[in-house]
Amino acid sequence: AGAGSVMRVSICADVIDVDKAQQTSRVKCVDNTLTLKVKDPAQFALIAKGDQIKAVQTTAIAIGIVPKP
């Protein structure tokens, strides 16, 4: 038996740094600062310091239960 859950959170943030070597952007949100990995090179090429972005962060959790033999 098992269970799973997926949570999606939309954020709006200001880009404060772009790391081309790591393909990441550092963004400042209302509450904190995050480093986001951008998987799509074409999308990453469009991001520049000073831009405002909207991103969706997805977190997935899965649990598996195996009976004791």
Side-chain angles (χ1 to χ4, degrees):
S5 177
V6 175
M7 181 175 66
R8 288 184 179 86
V9 177
S10 294
I11 60 170
C12 289
D14 297 317
V15 177
I16 56 175
D17 191 31
V18 175
D19 184 339
K20 292 183 180 190
Q22 297 295 317
Q23 200 165 317
T24 60
S25 60
R26 202 172 132 134
V27 298
K28 178 154 180 55
C29 307
V30 174
D31 297 333
N32 57 5
T33 301
L34 303 170
T35 299
L36 304 175
K37 175 80 173 168
V38 182
K39 294 180 181 179
D40 183 351
Q43 286 294 314
F44 181 73
L46 300 174
I47 299 171
K49 184 176 177 179
D51 286 350
Q52 188 171 62
I53 63 158
K54 180 179 179 183
V56 178
Q57 181 181 19
T58 304
T59 305
I61 300 172
I63 300 171
I65 301 171
V66 179
K68 189 174 181 179

